[in-house]
Amino acid sequence: MTVILRTEALTRVLAGVIPVTLVEGIDLEIARGEFVAIMGPSGSGKSSLLYLLGLLDVPTAGKIWLNGSDTAGLGEDALANIRLKELGFVFQFHFLLAEFTALDNVLLPIRRLGALSAREARAKGLQLLDSVGLADHVNKYPSQLSGGQRQRVAIARALSNDPLILLADEPTGALDTRASGSLRDNFQVLAHSKQCSVVAVTHDPSFAKAADRILFLVDGKLQPPDRAAELFDMSVR
Amino acid sequence: MMRLAFTIALSHLLSRRRQTLVSLLGVTLGVAFFLAVSSLMQGSDNDFIKRLVDNSPHVTVYDEFRQVRPQPALLFFPDAAVDIRSVKPRTEVRGIRQYKEKLALIADFPRVRVAPVLVGQAIVTFAGKDLGATINGVVPDLMTKVSTIEEHFVAGSLETLASNPNGIVIGTGLADKFGVRMGKNLTVTSPVGVVRTMKIVGLFRTGTAAYDDGQAFMLLKRGQDLLNRPNVANRLILKLEDPDLSPSVASAVEAAIGYKSQSWQEASQDLMSLLKVRRIMMYSVVAAILIVASFGIYNVISTVVLEKTRDIAIMKSIGFHARDVLAIFLIEGATVGLAGSLLGTGLGFAMMLGLSRVEIKSPFNTEPTALPLDWGLFPVALGIGFAMASSLVAAFLPARKGASVHPVDILRGAA
């Protein structure tokens, strides 16, 4: 098992008159090709943990190793480069650029990376949209797509840079049951067939059930596996 | 990355079409008015300077010195403590000494033409009417090379003086006051009491009333005779191929012959500083127009930054750098600035074309004159440069705000 992401005593405290601890002492390992679901009640720090894992936020204490490299002390540009090359993000709301077509949205990270020619980039974008079942919607604007379709465009965009890890924050939050099921299948294929680790924050037990491992956060603290299983069972009931 | 940034910038501007159009119009009108007004101002400046340069000598050598001549004792004992008091200056005969030698010396200067003149006052009388006039004793063939007076003749010419030793050329203003025309005889009386009867052989009209009313030309020899100053000239008039070199030529001439040599710039210092003040006023007003126009750009980009905060957050989460975001919004400002500048340049030239067709008629001048315009490219470069600079500054402030967006703050708020 190759560990692709590791954290040690990860803590994030929001400074202020009354400091707020978002997550505390998180020790975590994510293997290559593993599909991990993070669950927990609202305000338990799931999204905050995801932002830390995605290097969007900087921990107050603790460390993150990505693909064996320590990310502590890296500047904003270096972190942006890692996000550009090695991470993919999917959020609850699709966050597509409204003035860009589905294809242009997918091509955004590729074009920023600048590693492919225009023709190669387009071919890759079309292939990604095809893989999420949107081959017929490449030139449509987000306003012309349904919620599920937009989310699939967002997934195609998140995968366009061939990330090591896909980080998803409530990806099914705005989707119906059918679209959620389809997305869950996509994530499984991604993790198991394409060896892209998936870390997804979710409230949806049926979605989490498809994951290889379920982590449970309560008050910013990661619960031990047996307690996590207990809490998951309670959430199903 | 620049192509991508430009695509995103353009999509932002197109998403706020009406606001973008208004700010574009602001820059366009700013640049257009800048060009039209500066062309008119520069044109009138140039016209004024051209008239000044054409109608006055580029350098005039006077029969005087800038500084009092040092006493021989001071020259002889430069290191001694010499103190000379109550010096009574020697009464000198006015005029440029050995002017012919000095004339030859100056004539050797490259691209310089020179003519001697004896200037003095006289009373001109006709039919019992006396009027004061400044008489200029000239050598016609040399004078025509250093003066544009020949272009202003309405009858006769300066050359006619050469074949008429008793001839006199006067302005139409003076002629009208006497009610005389070509061929009439005038009586000219100098301050030293010499009286000569002279025949009008030429009439000129420069359009400058003071000149046309009070100047008269005659042969240098006749002027010397009339003023009782044989072999004397009290002015040397220089014309240069390049009038801008006048100050340096004046310095060189003064260093060579010692007499005060004054360039046209020095002689018209007050007018030149007036033109400078006029130019400063114009640039201040037009700069204010462009600064006001840049508020439009600030407005549209601020709105876009505010509207697109979520897009900025997502772009930064994808891996866009802060400088990429800064570049996107600066490109937006630059695009509006450049498009406004180009449209403004076109509109400005159209306005200049329209202005060039406007003719104004002076009540004292029978011929209508066109508005003087300058078609130089410097105001275009200045207008575009200023519009671009103000656009970029206006865009920079919201762009910096956009670049500093922390994605987590936005994502957390949106979730």
Side-chain angles (χ1 to χ4, degrees):
Chain A
M1 184 187 79
T2 314
V3 173
I4 207 80
L5 182 74
R6 185 162 74 86
T7 69
E8 190 181 277
L10 202 60
T11 300
R12 176 71 169 105
V13 180
L14 279 186
V17 182
I18 305 165
V20 179
T21 302
L22 299 175
V23 289
E24 191 179 356
I26 307 284
D27 295 317
L28 183 66
E29 282 188 353
I30 310 283
R32 190 177 188 98
E34 190 182 16
F35 179 9
V36 177
I38 302 176
M39 292 189 75
S42 292
S44 58
K46 305 183 293 293
S47 295
S48 300
L49 176 60
L50 199 79
Y51 298 149
L52 287 169
L53 298 181
L55 308 180
L56 287 170
D57 203 2
V58 181
T60 313
K63 284 188 169 187
I64 302 169
W65 285 268
L66 184 72
N67 207 14
S69 303
D70 186 0
T71 61
L74 293 177
E76 245 189 70
D77 285 355
L79 293 174
N81 283 337
I82 294 174
R83 288 199 298 273
L84 185 65
K85 291 173 185 165
E86 298 182 358
L87 301 175
F89 290 93
V90 178
F91 301 96
Q92 179 177 359
F93 302 102
H94 55 84
F95 285 159
L96 299 177
L97 304 194
E99 298 84 11
F100 280 37
T101 62
L103 181 62
D104 286 335
N105 266 292
V106 172
L107 292 180
L108 209 56
I110 303 176
R111 288 173 70 185
R112 174 60 190 86
L113 211 51
L116 299 180
S117 69
R119 184 184 288 185
E120 289 168 336
R122 187 179 159 80
K124 187 171 184 180
L126 290 173
Q127 180 256 313
L128 281 164
L129 282 170
D130 186 34
S131 72
V132 293
L134 291 174
D136 297 334
H137 300 80
V138 289
N139 291 321
K140 285 188 178 167
Y141 288 91
S143 58
Q144 297 168 311
L145 299 169
S146 70
Q149 287 171 329
R150 288 177 203 169
Q151 196 61 300
R152 279 186 277 159
V153 174
I155 292 168
R157 181 178 66 188
L159 297 176
S160 65
N161 58 342
D162 300 318
L164 289 173
I165 308 172
L166 179 73
L167 299 149
D169 190 6
E170 302 272 12
T172 59
L175 302 183
D176 56 28
T177 319
R178 200 171 142 217
S180 295
S182 165
L183 190 67
R184 184 185 57 214
D185 297 343
N186 279 339
F187 279 11
Q188 275 184 324
V189 170
L190 199 62
H192 302 144
S193 307
K194 299 192 174 169
Q195 290 294 293
C196 171
S197 308
V198 177
V199 180
V201 166
T202 184
H203 273 115
D204 180 1
S206 62
F207 183 86
K209 212 184 256 183
D212 301 324
R213 190 155 48 113
I214 300 169
L215 305 175
F216 225 99
L217 272 179
V218 176
D219 294 335
K221 289 177 185 157
L222 205 56
Q223 301 302 301
D226 50 342
R227 177 70 184 143
E230 212 175 286
L231 287 167
F232 178 73
D233 288 342
M234 281 165 68
S235 71
V236 173
R237 281 199 295 270
Chain B
M1 172 56 208
M2 283 316 284
R3 205 173 150 188
L4 177 60
F6 186 77
T7 311
I8 298 172
L10 209 61
S11 74
H12 285 172
L13 291 175
L14 291 174
S15 73
R16 303 291 308 181
R17 274 196 186 85
R18 193 178 297 175
Q19 248 182 314
T20 304
L21 204 67
V22 169
S23 46
L24 187 69
L25 204 65
V27 180
T28 302
L29 290 177
V31 171
F33 277 101
F34 174 82
L35 289 184
V37 173
S38 64
S39 163
L40 203 56
M41 292 287 264
Q42 192 61 50
S44 68
D45 279 9
N46 292 349
D47 186 58
F48 182 80
I49 290 173
K50 186 177 180 300
R51 280 169 198 258
L52 197 70
V53 168
D54 284 353
N55 297 333
S56 58
H58 294 165
V59 176
T60 307
V61 180
Y62 294 94
D63 58 340
E64 55 192 75
F65 302 93
R66 282 189 197 267
Q67 280 160 350
V68 180
R69 283 200 227 177
Q71 291 295 319
L74 286 170
L75 292 173
F76 203 74
F77 303 105
D79 300 325
V82 179
D83 184 19
I84 302 163
R85 292 182 188 181
S86 307
V87 176
K88 188 186 175 205
R90 188 177 67 182
T91 307
E92 289 188 66
V93 179
R94 291 296 301 266
I96 296 168
R97 287 185 187 184
Q98 297 164 324
Y99 80 88
K100 285 178 183 165
E101 286 171 23
K102 287 168 173 92
L103 200 69
L105 185 78
I106 296 169
D108 283 344
F109 276 64
R111 293 184 289 282
V112 170
R113 298 186 298 272
V114 60
V117 182
L118 177 64
V119 180
Q121 300 301 315
I123 302 291
V124 183
T125 311
F126 181 77
K129 191 173 186 178
D130 298 331
L131 288 170
T134 300
I135 56 167
N136 296 271
V138 298
V139 180
D141 60 332
L142 292 179
M143 192 62 183
T144 50
K145 288 176 187 162
V146 299
S147 162
T148 53
I149 189 70
E150 195 75 6
E151 295 167 16
H152 300 289
F153 270 78
V154 291
S157 73
L158 209 58
E159 293 291 342
T160 328
L161 286 174
S163 52
N164 290 282
N166 279 326
I168 188 167
V169 170
I170 61 170
T172 50
L174 192 61
D176 290 344
K177 282 181 181 173
F178 284 129
V180 293
R181 288 287 170 262
M182 287 283 283
K184 289 285 179 186
N185 286 325
L186 300 172
T187 305
V188 184
T189 310
S190 75
V192 290
V194 179
V195 181
R196 291 281 180 274
T197 299
M198 306 186 89
K199 187 180 176 182
I200 301 172
V201 295
L203 290 169
F204 62 84
R205 184 176 62 217
T206 61
T208 308
Y211 200 85
D212 295 344
D213 288 358
Q215 296 288 325
F217 292 89
M218 61 185 64
L219 280 179
L220 178 61
K221 281 274 179 205
R222 181 59 67 221
Q224 288 167 340
D225 167 45
L226 193 68
L227 297 167
N228 194 21
R229 297 176 73 180
N231 299 315
V232 169
N234 57 9
R235 300 265 200 289
L236 298 179
I237 291 174
L238 277 70
K239 207 78 172 174
L240 276 60
E241 275 177 31
D242 182 359
D244 292 337
L245 295 177
S246 301
S248 58
V249 170
S251 303
V253 168
E254 189 162 327
I257 64 173
Y259 284 103
K260 180 184 171 183
S261 303
Q262 197 176 46
S263 66
W264 64 270
Q265 289 98 327
E266 186 188 345
S268 317
Q269 249 173 0
D270 50 345
L271 290 170
M272 300 306 279
S273 56
L274 189 75
L275 293 181
K276 203 180 274 181
V277 170
R278 233 165 63 114
R279 229 169 282 158
I280 291 169
M281 279 166 62
M282 176 201 72
Y283 285 127
S284 307
V285 170
V286 181
I289 296 173
L290 285 171
I291 287 170
V292 171
S294 70
F295 279 104
I297 295 176
Y298 175 83
N299 191 28
V300 68
I301 295 175
S302 291
T303 311
V304 170
V305 166
L306 211 63
E307 271 183 356
K308 303 292 176 189
T309 314
R310 213 182 60 174
D311 288 2
I312 296 169
I314 201 69
M315 285 193 288
K316 287 184 98 173
S317 72
I318 284 172
F320 278 64
H321 294 190
R323 62 170 178 272
D324 299 334
V325 177
L326 192 74
I328 288 168
F329 292 107
L330 285 181
I331 287 172
E332 288 176 29
T335 304
V336 175
L338 189 65
S341 298
L342 295 177
L343 289 172
T345 304
L347 183 65
F349 274 109
M351 286 166 76
M352 283 155 67
L353 209 63
L355 285 171
S356 71
R357 289 182 184 162
V358 174
E359 288 189 332
I360 45 172
K361 215 168 184 180
S362 158
F364 307 105
N365 204 338
T366 49
E367 305 230 341
T369 49
L371 287 174
L373 290 166
D374 177 58
W375 293 85
L377 291 177
F378 176 70
V380 177
L382 196 67
I384 292 178
F386 197 85
M388 288 302 291
S390 57
S391 302
L392 286 172
V393 169
F396 180 73
L397 302 172
R400 196 177 54 172
K401 193 179 167 196
S404 66
V405 162
H406 201 274
V408 171
D409 297 339
I410 309 304
L411 297 172
R412 198 172 270 143

